[in-house]
Amino acid sequence: MRLHGEVSFDEDEEEVVMVPAALSSPLNGGAVAVTRLVVGYALTKKKVKSFLQPKLLLLARKKGISLVAIDDTRPLAEQGPFDIILHKITSKEWQQVLEDYHDEHPEVTVLDPPNAINHLNNRQSMLAEVSDLNLSSFYGEVCTPRQLVIMKDPSSIPTAVAMAGLTLPLVAKPLVVDGTSKSHELSLAYDEASLSMLDPPLVLQEFVNHGGILFKVYIIGETIQVVRRFSLPDVNTYDLLNNVGVYRFPRVSCAAASADHADLDPHIAELPPRPLLEKLGKELRGRLGLRLFNVDMIRELGTKDRYYIIDINYFPGFGKMPGYEHIFTDFLLNIAQSKYKKCLTGG
Ligand SMILES: O=P(O)(O)O[C@@H]1[C@@H](O)[C@H](OP(=O)(O)O)[C@@H](OP(=O)(O)O)[C@@H](O)[C@H]1OP(=O)(O)O
Ligand SMILES: Nc1ncnc2c1ncn2[C@@H]1O[C@H](COP(=O)(O)OP(=O)(O)O)[C@@H](O)[C@H]1O
Ligand SMILES: [Mg+2]
Ligand SMILES: [Mg+2]
């Protein structure tokens, strides 16, 4: 572990060690840690605006965390040194730069490793990781809707759907998730014949009625926070019998507008039990190899504890989370603290 400074002694003759982390407990021999943690970030302008809010920057500074913009016009190796690199850039070039840099600097924590993030850039591999969760002993069952991947030939879709036995209506989602607005252009299909109007590659996912409320489960390291968001309305039999075609629908649930204070049916609005969320978070961190993500989860209408994961997002809009600045800065310091403790114990 690279120390930023050197051992020195303050006026109380206390050994003061400059370490790249805020250690709340005294160091060996009673030294008190002085903190400085350097976090390099590679984020789009839009993300910088939504995530690096003044309240985060202020608290980070108070906690001895320097947030440094990575200059993508200069070699990464000439920048830093960094303790942590935080990023959300989808280009292959950036991924290669990051992987080469990490080969040279294994001591730098990359949040999160590009190869783990790539799993979420495809709506098939995204959910494949969580299709066989077995959490039923933790207050509920969590699964994923049945879905079918269509790579090409739209005319083949109606037959493929009939062969797969998928139940209408279906949500059509672009297969690739790459941060563009196109990857969020979703449609609802009411009948099989209309499916041939769709534009592969896509995934067709069975629509699950869930009372129009979705749970956004945000995960930052070991911290989990769940919020309610408005979602698509239920589709009843009448709708199915009296609608044909494929309908594009706008982005509904990423709006910051929370449904947490809406007047909702308690059976629909009741949050998933905390033990379930804790177990789910632990499972997903392990399976996905990620520490910064969220999960769109719905409870099937009429059930008490049957949940479906319908979407997983890397480095989502944490800025919308109440109190995110405290959660995120503590998360960064905990990373450095555990690295430094490992360094002290040779672990
Ligand atoms: O896909 P969702 O569920 O709308 O979540 C979005 C999504 O993560 C989006 O990222 P991207 O898929 O466009 O790359 C996030 O945009 P930013 O990275 O600019 O923040 C949104 O913030 C997410 O919304 P939410 O945080 O409500 O899940
Ligand atoms: N299988 C589904 N059943 C019911 N509603 C769904 C389903 N899939 C998506 N939705 C609705 O569409 C919204 C967007 O779908 P999602 O998979 O989260 O795409 P995005 O990555 O664009 O957020 C969800 O927030 C939810 O409201
Ligand atoms: Mg979503
Ligand atoms: Mg998404």
Side-chain angles (χ1 to χ4, degrees):
M1 161 65 78
R2 177 180 32 72
L3 298 186
H4 289 293
E6 54 199 17
V7 176
S8 60
F9 290 82
D10 66 10
E11 59 279 4
D12 301 331
E13 287 306 303
E14 260 197 332
E15 181 187 340
V16 175
V17 179
M18 279 290 283
V19 293
L23 295 178
S24 52
S25 56
L27 291 174
N28 290 356
V32 175
V34 178
T35 64
R36 195 166 80 83
L37 179 68
V38 182
V39 178
Y41 63 85
L43 301 171
T44 62
K45 284 193 177 60
K46 172 177 173 274
K47 195 66 171 176
V48 168
K49 190 167 180 297
S50 67
F51 176 66
L52 295 179
Q53 297 173 22
K55 60 185 175 181
L56 176 73
L57 298 174
L58 189 63
L59 191 58
R61 196 176 309 124
K62 277 185 186 163
K63 292 185 174 182
I65 301 169
S66 304
L67 288 158
V68 178
I70 288 171
D71 178 350
D72 61 5
T73 63
R74 288 174 47 218
L76 186 53
E78 290 174 12
Q79 304 181 54
F82 303 113
D83 296 294
I84 294 172
I85 288 183
L86 179 64
H87 71 110
K88 186 178 183 181
I89 302 288
T90 50
S91 75
K92 290 272 177 267
E93 298 73 21
W94 165 252
Q95 284 189 31
Q96 193 55 57
V97 163
L98 200 47
E99 281 165 9
D100 296 347
Y101 177 84
H102 195 242
D103 290 346
E104 290 298 309
H105 300 275
E107 79 285 359
V108 177
T109 300
V110 174
L111 289 178
D112 275 305
N115 60 348
I117 298 170
N118 285 341
H119 265 116
L120 300 189
N121 295 339
N122 171 302
R123 292 186 192 267
Q124 181 180 29
S125 55
M126 171 198 288
L127 297 186
E129 299 290 336
V130 294
S131 56
D132 60 346
L133 290 171
N134 180 12
L135 307 182
S136 50
S137 50
F138 285 84
Y139 306 86
E141 184 187 349
V142 180
C143 42
T144 53
R146 290 200 306 161
Q147 66 180 31
L148 180 65
V149 173
I150 305 286
M151 294 306 290
K152 56 186 186 330
D153 186 11
S155 61
S156 71
I157 299 179
T159 308
V161 164
M163 298 280 284
L166 291 188
T167 308
L168 291 162
L170 297 173
V171 187
K173 308 181 183 183
L175 185 62
V176 173
V177 177
D178 57 7
T180 60
S181 53
K182 181 172 176 13
S183 62
H184 295 286
E185 288 178 359
L186 274 59
S187 308
L188 195 58
Y190 285 91
D191 68 294
E192 271 178 15
S194 307
L195 293 168
S196 53
M197 295 191 293
L198 290 169
D199 182 20
L202 54 87
V203 63
L204 290 171
Q205 196 180 77
E206 286 185 339
F207 182 90
V208 177
N209 281 336
H210 54 286
I213 291 294
L214 169 131
F215 304 112
K216 281 266 177 187
V217 185
Y218 283 94
I219 293 170
I220 297 178
E222 298 186 0
T223 301
I224 297 174
Q225 194 176 93
V226 59
V227 295
R228 297 179 189 85
R229 293 276 177 77
F230 291 108
S231 180
L232 286 182
D234 294 333
V235 177
N236 59 36
T237 316
Y238 178 84
D239 298 325
L240 259 184
L241 293 173
N242 290 281
N243 281 285
V244 287
V246 173
Y247 298 87
R248 270 285 307 282
F249 59 83
R251 292 186 72 174
V252 284
S253 60
C254 71
S258 159
D260 279 331
H261 309 296
D263 177 19
L264 302 168
D265 171 344
H267 293 104
I268 289 172
E270 184 187 1
L271 293 176
R274 192 78 205 167
L276 175 75
L277 295 175
E278 296 288 348
K279 176 71 179 169
L280 178 66
K282 188 167 187 295
E283 274 292 312
L284 293 184
R285 281 192 301 272
R287 288 169 179 242
L288 299 171
L290 294 172
R291 291 187 268 197
L292 297 176
F293 60 98
N294 78 3
V295 175
D296 288 353
M297 197 158 102
I298 55 180
R299 181 194 291 114
E300 184 173 8
L301 190 70
T303 73
K304 180 166 175 10
D305 59 4
R306 175 192 278 270
Y307 299 94
Y308 286 88
I309 292 177
I310 56 174
D311 184 25
I312 307 176
N313 302 294
Y314 174 64
F315 200 158
F318 290 127
K320 301 173 213 172
M321 277 170 71
Y324 89 106
E325 68 277 15
H326 299 280
I327 297 168
F328 206 88
T329 48
D330 285 344
F331 165 64
L332 294 172
L333 293 176
N334 288 339
I335 289 177
Q337 188 172 38
S338 54
K339 283 206 299 192
Y340 188 63
K341 279 182 178 168
K342 259 191 211 155
C343 167
L344 283 181
T345 58

